[in-house]
Amino acid sequence: MFGRKKPTLKQLGDQALLDLVYQVKDKWQMAQKTQDNVRGLDDQLEMESKIQQAKFEFLFRQARQRKVAGEAVSKEAATRNTFR
């Protein structure tokens, strides 16, 4: 109560961005699994996977620009080696 700092708008925004990154990554992985499990590759399934991948990559770049530290962002940065 006393002496406790309130979270700033940037901290709240960063946390919301990080939550969104996690959600989109889960959706992308689910779309990939669905695409792998379906025998006849449907164009709609392929497009859904690509859309989710594009969303994740956009949010990933935004998180990197804002220097948001998170498990998903850190792991993806390590696999991509995009520190520049």
Side-chain angles (χ1 to χ4, degrees):
M1 210 166 150
F2 296 108
R4 179 185 254 182
K5 290 186 177 182
K6 293 182 181 179
T8 63
L9 188 59
K10 182 183 182 323
Q11 290 171 339
L12 293 173
D14 288 347
Q15 187 59 45
L17 177 63
L18 200 56
D19 292 341
L20 193 57
V21 167
Y22 288 134
Q23 289 174 1
V24 171
K25 184 167 178 119
D26 289 341
K27 287 181 182 179
W28 178 31
Q29 288 175 343
M30 186 177 295
Q32 283 181 329
K33 286 179 184 178
T34 303
Q35 185 178 352
D36 291 341
N37 291 334
V38 173
R39 287 190 178 171
L41 187 60
D42 188 14
D43 290 338
Q44 186 174 359
L45 290 174
E46 187 176 354
M47 285 298 172
E48 180 66 28
S49 179
K50 287 183 180 185
I51 287 170
Q52 294 301 328
Q53 180 182 5
K55 284 180 184 179
F56 176 75
E57 289 179 358
F58 173 76
L59 293 171
F60 173 74
R61 284 192 301 270
Q62 291 299 314
R64 296 281 296 157
Q65 286 178 353
R66 292 178 66 126
K67 298 180 182 171
V68 176
E71 187 177 326
V73 176
S74 299
K75 283 183 182 178
E76 196 66 28
T79 59
R80 291 178 182 227
N81 196 12
T82 57
F83 289 105
R84 296 173 191 184

